[in-house]
Amino acid sequence: MSAQETIKNAIDTNDVMLFMKGTPVFPQCGFSSTVTQILNYIGVEYNSLNVLEDQDIRQGIKDFSNWPTIPQLYVKGEFVGGCDIVKDMFEQGELREFFEENGIELAAAEE
């Protein structure tokens, strides 16, 4: 399977897909860490792919989305954005709403 096929398959088969440097348990860049913290905080289940493990995927995701940076978040097959966009949506209170509008179940918010 080519890098583009691997990327497309990951996006198509996961409602919430994060392409990141490292893993959710051990992010290997501050931006990836920020996005995983936000996703974990709002209680969304997601899958991730460590782009550091495959140079073709690392470049391929940038080509796929026409977006120059990693991490990249996809929801229901649509590119949402990178760290700045996810962080802005979270700070504006739009991210939880966005997931709910897309039929993504969230864990109960901790009060």
Side-chain angles (χ1 to χ4, degrees):
M1 195 180 303
S2 74
Q4 291 299 310
E5 290 169 331
T6 300
I7 290 165
K8 181 151 180 35
N9 183 56
I11 291 167
D12 289 347
T13 58
N14 295 286
D15 284 347
V16 183
M17 186 68 203
L18 179 64
F19 293 85
M20 64 181 292
K21 293 179 181 175
T23 66
V25 173
F26 188 67
Q28 292 183 277
C29 89
F31 299 115
S32 291
S33 178
T34 296
V35 172
T36 59
Q37 287 176 26
I38 289 169
L39 295 177
N40 292 338
Y41 178 81
I42 64 172
V44 67
E45 280 190 35
Y46 62 98
N47 286 310
S48 67
L49 193 69
N50 181 358
V51 300
L52 297 178
E53 291 179 347
D54 187 329
Q55 191 57 41
D56 291 338
I57 300 283
R58 186 176 183 172
Q59 183 55 49
I61 192 62
K62 295 175 184 180
D63 297 339
F64 187 88
S65 63
N66 199 23
W67 189 262
T69 58
I70 294 163
Q72 294 187 13
L73 180 66
Y74 288 80
V75 174
K76 297 275 183 150
E78 296 295 319
F79 176 56
V80 178
C83 181
D84 290 347
I85 291 170
V86 172
K87 191 172 174 222
D88 284 348
M89 288 175 74
F90 175 69
E91 288 171 351
Q92 302 297 318
E94 298 167 357
L95 192 59
R96 183 181 300 274
E97 207 174 274
F98 174 78
F99 282 120
E100 289 169 351
E101 286 171 0
N102 279 282
I104 305 295
E105 213 171 287
L106 303 175
E110 293 177 24
E111 296 299 323

